Amino acid sequence: MAPKTSPFYLLAVIILASGGIPKGYDEGGFSASVTLPAFKADYGLNKNLWVGNATGLANRTANISSFGVLGAAFGAMIAYFLNDKVGRLWSYRIAVLVWASGILMQVFSSGIFGFLLFARIWGGLGAGGLTVISPLFLSEIAPTKSRGMVTSMYMVVLLSFLSLGFFINYGVSKHMSQSRAQWQIVQMIPLVPMGFCFFASFLLPESPRWLASRGRREDCIAALARLRGTSVDDPTLMGEYERTELEANALIEMSKTSMPQIAKECFADPNLRNRYFLAVALHTIAQWTGGNGITYYISDIFQYAGVKGSETSLITSGAYGLVKLFVTMIFAWGLIDRLGRRRCMLAGLTLQGITHIYMAIYFGAIGQGNQRASDAAIASVFIYATGWSVGLCTIPYIYGTEIFPTKARSFAYATTMALHWFYQFAVVRVTPVMLAALDKWGAYVFWAMICAVGVVVLGLWAPETKGVPLERMHELFDRPWYKCWKSKLDPRNDFGESYEEKVDVVYTVEQREGGLRAKN
């Protein structure tokens, strides 16, 4: 954190980071509530209704879970454009309202399957929108030195509520009678913290960067002063304002280039194309290693691995979420800038692949009759969580913010994040079907193969970006994709800007000089 951290700034970080609650709780709380007996009875998920049709039951379960992710895919795309039109703050509020209305429809769908699916999509729009709005807002109010740590608070909150969701499901299954109120309470709980955040958001100022981009100088300075806990004429504050204004003006100038023109440049320029398709490959491999699919159905997977009883499975699933949370915190606040992106990514993929291979052997050749093998299978799920957390759970987002020039960063972020969500929808949709149709072991063989492909492809393609200045990132991609892994900066090159970054730097210098002339 910065040396001076005002209580109001901490409140703003908490409110905005809470935008991770809807997504995190959906992966933990909602996904586990689908396993409660009362929910199964309301929506026809009991096995005795699907005798001889295990795939049909898997499809019905998959639709319920995956439709929220489908809504999130479209919500992320909408929020990207809404952010600049109405501002970060109102985009945040709108997304919270859309999500909350979807949760209320979901809770009171009263066993109507079609209405539940609509509610899942509608609520997903808001949850997906917050995955774009909250991290962006956090990065814009954070001091430069602590931007990475502050932005990562979004993931910490997300994973915290993922774990909490499993424990809440355990609590209601342990202490409440089986009734519709059981799963309704579980699904309504995140409305409480998000309701607080919605009303508390009216205490927050708009993003200073967005205000500066709209020419609202006084409002921008006032917002910065409030966040930093200083007066509007503080010299340090005025220095930060000048940097904020210069960055905003540079982005305004770049916004004159249309998205089709930027897209054409991304695909036509060999260097940019190399970077863009690396980002696509990262999201593709990350999702198809099974990461989010396993998270959504982790309670079932633990029972497949030998955990006895649904309540014990929920407790174990909560522990799984805690492992992800703690490992991600260690990774985000320590390992990533010490060991580097490549090492973490390849180590994580290797751990994922090894655990997938063991689970394939366990389900295909050993079975639940062997207690030691079952215990090892349960342990391997936790090892898998460690590999996923230090690798592709976070790395694609870090690369996505680092490897692109300013001019192409917004387009690349929007399109690759949309691809991420559509992949996640597909994975969550097909995971239970794969487990049922491929006798479980076949699904793990498929995921292990993707991990192996990932180690080879990303091992050859992804360069180490730790410590590489953004303006020199293009130097790592001035060669064929399969040779990028050994790219390093040439120490003799002190002016390594690409054409796009040269324009950025020149424009910024011109703005600074123009501002000084105006003052004199």
Side-chain angles (χ1 to χ4, degrees):
M1 291 290 180
K4 294 182 179 179
T5 303
S6 72
F8 182 79
Y9 172 70
L10 292 176
L11 175 65
V13 170
I14 292 171
I15 292 170
L16 297 176
S18 295
I21 291 176
K23 195 71 191 72
Y25 198 81
D26 192 72
E27 294 181 7
F30 177 82
S31 65
S33 71
V34 174
T35 67
L36 294 174
F39 188 91
K40 289 183 176 181
D42 272 347
Y43 294 100
L45 300 177
N46 288 321
K47 291 183 179 179
N48 61 344
L49 301 176
W50 300 86
V51 177
N53 188 13
T55 302
L57 174 59
N59 275 316
R60 191 175 182 88
T61 304
N63 283 336
I64 293 173
S65 296
S66 66
F67 271 42
V69 181
L70 179 62
F74 289 103
M77 296 172 66
I78 294 170
Y80 172 73
F81 296 102
L82 193 64
N83 255 334
D84 290 331
K85 294 294 183 182
V86 303
R88 291 20 170 174
L89 198 54
W90 270 108
S91 295
Y92 177 88
R93 293 168 185 157
I94 291 169
V96 171
L97 287 176
V98 170
W99 166 80
S101 61
I103 291 294
L104 289 173
M105 286 189 286
Q106 180 177 294
V107 166
F108 297 108
S109 53
S110 303
I112 304 172
F113 184 69
F115 188 43
L116 174 66
L117 295 184
F118 172 78
R120 292 285 294 152
I121 292 177
W122 182 259
L125 290 173
L130 287 169
T131 65
V132 174
I133 298 162
S134 290
L136 176 64
F137 207 153
L138 284 168
S139 70
E140 291 182 350
I141 69 168
T144 303
K145 291 183 179 180
S146 61
R147 182 170 294 169
M149 183 182 295
V150 171
T151 305
S152 68
M153 285 299 297
Y154 170 83
M155 283 298 297
V156 171
V157 172
L158 187 154
L159 291 172
S160 298
F161 272 80
L162 184 152
S163 303
L164 180 64
F166 289 115
F167 289 120
I168 289 174
N169 273 277
Y170 170 77
V172 299
S173 64
K174 185 77 172 177
H175 301 291
M176 287 185 66
S177 59
Q178 293 183 15
S179 65
R180 180 174 293 173
Q182 193 183 48
W183 63 263
Q184 286 178 325
I185 288 174
V186 170
Q187 295 182 16
M188 287 180 67
I189 280 177
L191 289 172
V192 176
M194 289 309 298
F196 167 80
C197 290
F198 174 78
F199 290 108
S201 72
F202 287 91
L203 301 174
L204 303 184
E206 178 58 86
S207 162
R209 183 168 173 265
W210 186 82
L211 292 170
S213 71
R214 292 299 183 273
R216 296 165 58 178
R217 182 179 185 276
E218 291 77 12
D219 291 336
C220 177
I221 295 173
L224 284 171
R226 197 171 178 196
L227 289 166
R228 303 293 177 253
T230 62
S231 62
V232 295
D233 56 355
D234 183 270
T236 304
L237 184 77
M238 293 308 297
E240 183 175 0
Y241 165 72
E242 289 180 0
R243 292 192 299 272
T244 300
E245 187 179 40
L246 290 172
E247 183 182 3
N249 289 338
L251 290 173
I252 291 172
E253 187 69 17
M254 291 171 189
S255 68
K256 296 176 182 178
T257 304
S258 67
M259 183 170 284
Q261 289 176 305
I262 296 174
K264 182 179 179 180
E265 191 170 343
C266 277
F267 293 113
D269 180 84
N271 188 287
L272 274 178
R273 185 170 62 240
N274 204 352
R275 293 187 251 182
Y276 184 79
F277 282 110
L278 171 59
V280 169
L282 282 164
H283 283 290
T284 303
I285 293 169
Q287 290 302 313
W288 288 103
T289 58
N292 286 301
I294 289 174
T295 299
Y296 266 91
Y297 304 106
I298 191 64
S299 297
D300 292 330
I301 286 172
F302 272 125
Q303 291 188 55
Y304 297 152
V307 171
K308 302 289 194 298
S310 59
E311 291 181 0
T312 307
S313 176
L314 289 171
I315 282 289
T316 313
S317 300
Y320 171 86
L322 287 176
V323 169
K324 289 181 65 176
L325 170 63
F326 291 136
V327 173
T328 300
M329 289 173 66
I330 294 170
F331 165 78
W333 297 343
L335 293 180
I336 187 63
D337 288 322
R338 294 193 179 189
L339 298 181
R341 282 69 160 145
R342 272 181 57 83
R343 288 180 180 176
C344 290
M345 175 181 63
L346 296 178
L349 264 172
T350 302
L351 278 179
Q352 284 182 267
I354 291 171
T355 57
H356 285 327
I357 291 171
Y358 177 77
M359 292 296 278
I361 295 171
Y362 171 74
F363 286 124
I366 302 175
Q368 294 183 3
N370 187 314
Q371 186 59 47
R372 289 185 178 180
S374 178
D375 292 342
I378 295 168
S380 75
V381 178
F382 288 101
I383 296 172
Y384 171 84
T386 301
W388 171 243
S389 298
V390 302
L392 291 179
C393 180
T394 308
I395 291 292
Y397 308 103
I398 296 175
Y399 265 98
T401 60
E402 289 181 336
I403 63 176
F404 296 105
T406 304
K407 189 174 184 178
R409 192 172 296 132
S410 294
F411 168 79
Y413 178 78
T415 53
T416 55
M417 274 305 297
L419 184 67
H420 161 91
W421 283 114
F422 283 116
Y423 276 144
Q424 185 168 331
F425 162 70
V427 169
V428 175
R429 177 64 183 78
V430 304
T431 293
V433 180
M434 287 175 62
L435 291 170
L438 301 177
D439 296 325
K440 302 179 188 65
W441 68 269
Y444 279 95
V445 169
F446 173 79
W447 292 329
M449 291 171 61
I450 298 297
C451 289
V453 170
V455 168
V456 174
V457 172
L458 298 181
L460 293 174
W461 200 341
E464 180 54 67
T465 59
K466 181 187 71 171
V468 177
L470 296 180
E471 68 272 11
R472 298 188 64 184
M473 198 65 68
H474 70 284
E475 294 181 39
L476 303 180
F477 297 90
D478 278 334
R479 58 181 66 196
W481 71 269
Y482 52 87
K483 293 183 179 179
C484 288
W485 67 274
K486 54 185 177 181
S487 295
K488 293 182 180 180
L489 296 183
D490 185 346
R492 297 170 299 177
N493 185 1
D494 295 327
F495 301 94
E497 302 94 345
S498 63
Y499 171 76
E500 295 89 345
E501 268 105 7
K502 284 180 180 178
V503 172
D504 295 348
V505 172
V506 170
Y507 183 79
T508 301
V509 171
E510 288 177 350
Q511 287 292 315
R512 184 182 295 114
E513 292 176 349
L516 291 174
R517 285 195 297 270
K519 289 180 182 179
N520 295 330

